[in-house]
Amino acid sequence: MKYLNYALSLTTIAIAIVSTHALAQPPRGGFGMMNQPLTVVSAPAEVLGKELKLSEEVQKKVAAIQKGVQDKMTAAMQELRDSGGFSPEAFQELQKKNTENAKKAETEIMALLSNDQKKALPDVMKALQMLRTLGIPVQLNGDLKLTEEQKTALAKIAVEVTKDRESKMKEMQEARENGDQDKMRELMQAMRTSGANPKALAALTADQKAMIEKYIKDHPQQPGRRPGGN
């Protein structure tokens, strides 16, 4: 039982490590990625630059900070592997360190933003989180030119998707506590996603759908890098 809890927690760490990289790719095949809250640390620097109108210099600094966090997390995980010290205690220490590094990075990024950019940030993050939840590349946020009606429809669908995932996560927790590995595997498979949410696509125009399809085709997932599928 203790091992099952710990093993699934390690999956969470692995998801966090690939988050920044994975967001540069179209979402597919990852049950965990879309459940992770989007932050200024995990959102692609080029998207933040475009949406917040960051200068080239600031965008590069944001990208460097994000890469620094990812590198630290990867190094910490590798160090844990090399030491052979996989244990609940070691995991908790790793999780604490990663959280501290992420908070520090967020503070550093926020310090680079102007007051107007900080005010605009919540709405930008909300829009990006909605697209991410629906499996739509966040890089297309501005290019899709969604109408207010579409935004409202997509927001409702995103709420439904989130509730469904939360329900499955609750079932996952119960299966984990009961040591039911078959049920856990079944739920993990059910939570895996591939491409944009069908209901979300139904709310878009043919041109918008084509834009999403083209982006995914032009940005294939790199081999061996499955968001949240470690």
Side-chain angles (χ1 to χ4, degrees):
M1 184 76 66
K2 186 176 182 181
Y3 174 77
L4 284 172
N5 289 336
Y6 165 59
L8 195 57
S9 295
L10 281 177
T11 300
T12 302
I13 285 290
I15 290 170
I17 290 176
V18 302
S19 289
T20 302
H21 169 84
L23 278 169
Q25 307 291 334
R28 62 185 70 182
F31 76 88
M33 269 300 303
M34 296 177 193
N35 289 326
Q36 295 295 307
L38 195 63
T39 71
V40 291
V41 179
S42 59
E46 67 272 18
V47 175
L48 293 177
K50 181 178 180 180
E51 298 296 332
L52 296 175
K53 296 179 173 57
L54 303 179
S55 67
E56 183 177 351
E57 180 182 2
V58 170
Q59 183 176 316
K60 286 182 179 180
K61 289 182 178 180
V62 170
I65 293 172
Q66 291 178 337
K67 184 177 184 303
V69 172
Q70 184 182 10
D71 289 346
K72 288 178 181 178
M73 294 176 74
T74 301
M77 177 62 87
Q78 187 59 52
E79 183 180 347
L80 190 60
R81 286 199 187 98
D82 294 341
S83 68
F86 278 109
S87 68
E89 293 73 20
F91 160 72
Q92 289 176 1
E93 182 60 32
L94 176 62
Q95 190 175 44
K96 178 182 178 182
K97 185 183 299 183
N98 287 338
T99 299
E100 292 174 349
N101 287 333
K103 286 183 178 179
K104 180 181 179 182
E106 183 172 356
T107 299
E108 292 176 351
I109 291 175
M110 292 301 292
L112 295 172
L113 307 183
S114 68
N115 289 332
D116 288 342
Q117 289 166 340
K118 290 177 182 177
K119 290 179 181 178
L121 184 61
D123 287 340
V124 168
M125 298 305 295
K126 182 179 180 181
L128 297 182
Q129 183 69 62
M130 179 185 72
L131 293 183
R132 185 190 196 192
T133 298
L134 298 174
I136 299 174
V138 298
Q139 289 83 352
L140 298 179
N141 183 50
D143 298 333
L144 288 173
K145 293 180 171 51
L146 298 172
T147 65
E148 289 304 314
E149 184 178 355
Q150 286 179 318
K151 291 178 182 178
T152 299
L154 292 179
K156 289 181 179 179
I157 297 172
V159 170
E160 294 175 2
V161 171
T162 299
K163 287 182 177 179
D164 180 64
R165 288 177 186 155
E166 289 176 347
S167 176
K168 285 185 171 60
M169 288 299 289
K170 184 177 180 181
E171 290 184 61
M172 178 82 77
Q173 175 68 22
E174 293 174 352
R176 187 173 61 185
E177 292 174 351
N178 294 327
D180 190 342
Q181 296 188 51
D182 290 336
K183 184 64 175 178
M184 288 173 64
R185 281 193 288 269
E186 177 187 330
L187 289 167
M188 290 171 72
Q189 184 61 38
M191 292 170 70
R192 289 187 182 280
T193 56
S194 180
N197 181 281
K199 287 186 178 181
L201 289 177
L204 304 179
T205 66
D207 288 343
Q208 290 169 328
K209 294 175 187 177
M211 191 180 299
I212 293 173
E213 292 174 0
K214 184 178 186 304
Y215 184 91
I216 292 177
K217 181 180 179 181
D218 293 344
H219 300 78
Q221 183 64 43
Q222 292 185 14
R225 299 302 292 266
R226 296 186 304 155
N230 189 22

